[in-house]
Amino acid sequence: MKIEQTLKNHNITILDTNEIFKCSENDHLLVGMRSLGKKGIPSGCHGGGCGVCKVKIHSDKNNYKTLSMSRAHISKEDEDNGVFLACRVFPLGDIELNVIGKIKRKCINGSKNFVFNY
Amino acid sequence: MGVMKIGHVNLRVLDMAAARNHYENIIGLIVTDEDEAGNLYFKGWDEWDKYSVILSPSDHAGMDHVAYKVETDADLDTFTKSIEAYGIAVEQLPAGVLIDCGRAIRFQLPSGHTMCLFAEKTFVGKSTGDKNPAPWPLDVKGVGAHWLDHCLLVCPLDPENQINTIADNVNFLSKCLGFRLTEQALVGPDEDIQAVAFLTVTNTPHDIAFVPGPTAGFHHASFFLPNWGDILRSADIMAMNKVKIDVTPTRHGITRGETIYFFDPSGNRNETFAGLGYLATPDMPVITWTEEEVPRGIFYHSGELNPAFTEVYT
């Protein structure tokens, strides 16, 4: 007998801001966050390459699955400590996390306008 | 003699199956080879040579190297001398090290990026042929990009410590390889920090470009489409396939190009780019963007920088 499975939505909590959003098991965390207009985790390439969406997940490892992501940003030790790129994390249960990644900004000394992030 | 055009870009990808689907079925490039190491080779339908994109399996994203094609084999000796005289080490690569290419030379730009030069690559031609050709083939997939147009690299800039590898690259490519500066941004309190640079060896506004960042990296590889309507269709195809679009269709002030930015499944940024912009002949003056107007130079309509666009790279 074929069992129809409905996709579940899970609660994702950004502990830094107490922002909570729903994310489907089919979507990675940034799709869940952005499609509801929510903010909190920096959103970059959505492919596990650029590293800006680094998070520390406090929930049980059975509450999510991950896809491969860049070793330039996430080491094996990071993975063992629950540190991942949010764009490669798909929820299987509720998740609580802290944001580690950020978009770095620095002005050129004495320049009139902020122009470049570096 | 001289550098003729961009030859290929070698990108690292995390998931080869997903990457192949992206470059073949969405961008619409043609797979021309796959080697034992698992590297995939692609060409645009409107390119004569065997490949313009190499995808290599890796545990991190980004660019391995960019290669330019020179006009004659002897150019490789001439450029070896000029690059070494400039103070940059040159590695001689026997034929076949770059697959399906003749001998090549490899060296590092002042920004730390690896560049190769080669004179010969296997010719495979276009399906439309070279006799009474149709204007386009019927079997193009996805967006149907014509060719690899240029790449943009992120280069270390730290004026407080007198580091500007954008300016260093411009100086090197102009003096040693015959590139011409077409457009630049001059920023800082004295408007003397060359923070953005676009250079050409053909007569298009850019064949390579540089923007600043904390570390050397890859910003994007760009693929040519003929017109604005193609850019809209390109965005539609991206959305249908849930490709992560970085910047929806707009116009650049710099180069006047019409553009859409998006990411491959490993987070390497791509662009489809339309509009020749203008004819970049050697007699044109360098076009300069001031600090206040740099955002409009990048995104002409909004005039606002998108932090993810300037910060996110592989």
Side-chain angles (χ1 to χ4, degrees), chain A residues 49 70-71 112-113 115 117-118, chain B residues 59 157 191 266 291 305 310:
Chain A
S70 171
R71 273 279 178 259
K112 283 171 283 188
N113 295 15
V115 175
N117 308 318
Y118 69 103
Chain B
D59 67 359
L157 171 67
E191 298 179 356
S266 303
E291 185 169 298
L305 278 185
T310 40

Side-chain angles (χ1 to χ4, degrees), chain B residues 40-101:
Chain B
L40 272 176
Y41 299 78
F42 298 83
K43 74 183 271 298
W45 72 261
D46 213 0
E47 291 175 311
W48 302 106
D49 284 349
K50 184 165 177 181
Y51 62 87
S52 59
V53 173
I54 310 172
L55 299 183
S56 297
S58 176
D59 67 359
H60 60 295
M63 185 185 84
D64 180 82
H65 71 270
V66 60
Y68 285 77
K69 188 177 188 182
V70 301
E71 289 184 22
T72 68
D73 185 78
D75 289 341
L76 298 172
D77 297 323
T78 309
F79 285 131
T80 296
K81 283 185 197 132
S82 63
I83 296 166
E84 285 179 340
Y86 192 85
I88 289 177
V90 179
E91 197 180 347
Q92 301 293 323
L93 307 179
V97 171
L98 293 181
I99 194 169
D100 287 305
C101 291

Side-chain angles (χ1 to χ4, degrees), chain B residues 99-271:
Chain B
I99 194 169
D100 287 305
C101 291
R103 73 186 177 108
I105 61 174
R106 180 162 61 197
F107 50 92
Q108 291 205 320
L109 296 178
S111 55
H113 299 88
T114 301
M115 181 180 278
C116 298
L117 300 178
F118 65 92
E120 290 168 22
K121 184 183 280 183
T122 301
F123 178 96
V124 297
K126 308 176 186 180
S127 64
T128 48
D130 56 7
K131 190 170 284 179
N132 309 323
W136 41 271
L138 283 170
D139 59 352
V140 175
K141 292 181 179 175
V143 170
H146 285 232
W147 58 73
L148 173 68
D149 188 88
H150 63 268
C151 63
L152 188 149
L153 307 177
V154 179
C155 304
L157 171 67
D158 183 1
E160 290 157 41
N161 292 304
Q162 285 75 51
I163 293 168
N164 185 349
T165 63
I166 297 134
D168 294 343
N169 280 357
V170 171
N171 190 50
F172 168 66
L173 290 176
S174 305
K175 286 192 172 151
C176 285
L177 299 185
F179 280 72
R180 308 186 306 275
L181 183 66
T182 54
E183 306 205 27
Q184 64 180 347
L186 295 178
V187 306
D190 301 318
E191 298 179 356
D192 62 350
I193 299 170
Q194 189 178 43
V196 172
F198 286 61
L199 297 101
T200 188
V201 283
T202 58
N203 57 18
T204 66
H206 59 328
D207 294 303
I208 195 166
F210 307 114
V211 292
T215 54
F218 172 74
H219 191 276
H220 71 261
S222 184
F223 299 92
F224 180 84
L225 290 173
N227 61 56
W228 174 242
D230 296 317
I231 298 292
L232 177 68
R233 182 172 172 277
S234 175
D236 290 343
I237 290 170
M238 307 283 163
M240 287 176 202
N241 287 281
K242 295 193 172 164
V243 170
K244 172 60 179 165
I245 294 179
D246 187 32
V247 180
T248 52
T250 186
R251 180 197 283 284
H252 291 304
I254 301 171
T255 77
R256 292 187 217 146
E258 298 146 7
T259 178
I260 170 174
Y261 286 101
F262 50 100
F263 293 100
D264 81 6
S266 303
N268 295 309
R269 191 184 277 96
N270 301 151
E271 175 186 37

Side-chain angles (χ1 to χ4, degrees), chain A residues 27 34 43-52 68-73 88 102-118, chain B residues 14-15 59-61 157-160 187-189 191 193 195-196 212-214 244 263-267 291-292 294 305 307-308 310-314:
Chain A
D27 290 331
R34 292 294 293 254
S43 175
C45 73
H46 289 208
C50 77
V52 300
S68 57
M69 58 196 90
S70 171
R71 273 279 178 259
H73 300 291
R88 300 289 84 187
K102 59 184 172 192
I103 301 231
K104 298 178 284 290
R105 296 193 175 95
K106 188 182 167 197
C107 293
I108 293 173
N109 269 352
S111 71
K112 283 171 283 188
N113 295 15
F114 164 73
V115 175
F116 294 107
N117 308 318
Y118 69 103
Chain B
L14 305 171
D15 178 338
D59 67 359
H60 60 295
L157 171 67
D158 183 1
E160 290 157 41
V187 306
E191 298 179 356
I193 299 170
V196 172
K244 172 60 179 165
F263 293 100
D264 81 6
S266 303
E291 185 169 298
E292 295 82 353
V294 165
L305 278 185
T310 40
E311 169 65 20
V312 169
Y313 62 100
T314 55

